[in-house]
Amino acid sequence: MPKPFTPKVVTANALIEGDVIYLAADDSWVRDLAKAEVITDEAIAQMRLLDAQARASETVGVYLADVKLGTNGAEPTHFREDFRRTGPSNYFHGKQAEADA
């Protein structure tokens, strides 16, 4: 029996900056997971993934990531996605520095 479909977001890295980005419902790329479109239908998720993969001039490494709905929007369900959204781990800069300010 197949595993039930769980909510997903389309994620990638911005081609020029390298930042982690998420696809929003309006087809824009956002850097905040809470603003990403949460997809609950498997067929729609596959269509959104294909559409995002076609935007190779903007992104690299497009894939579907599991999420859950939290009080402020999408939240990661896997350590990898939680780690990706906080930025590089070698020292505090970018998103990490902004969170401390």
Side-chain angles (χ1 to χ4, degrees):
M1 183 193 282
K3 203 166 103 171
F5 184 79
T6 57
K8 309 259 191 269
V9 295
V10 176
T11 185
N13 289 90
L15 185 62
I16 303 299
E17 300 91 359
D19 291 346
V20 175
I21 54 177
Y22 307 96
L23 190 60
D26 67 357
D27 285 334
S28 66
W29 291 104
V30 295
R31 285 167 170 75
D32 182 358
L33 177 58
K35 295 178 182 173
E37 175 187 22
V38 177
I39 307 165
T40 57
D41 180 273
E42 188 170 8
I44 293 172
Q46 290 301 320
M47 288 178 15
R48 298 292 281 154
L49 177 63
L50 289 172
D51 290 344
Q53 287 173 331
R55 296 167 66 176
S57 64
E58 303 170 75
T59 64
V60 64
V62 180
Y63 66 95
L64 293 171
D66 291 328
V67 294
K68 63 182 177 183
L69 286 174
T71 56
N72 295 322
E75 294 179 359
T77 60
H78 192 277
F79 170 78
R80 177 179 189 231
E81 297 310 315
D82 196 27
F83 188 77
R84 283 182 75 233
R85 74 180 177 153
T86 60
S89 61
N90 54 353
Y91 60 91
F92 286 110
H93 62 282
K95 293 179 194 178
Q96 294 169 337
E98 291 168 8
D100 290 340

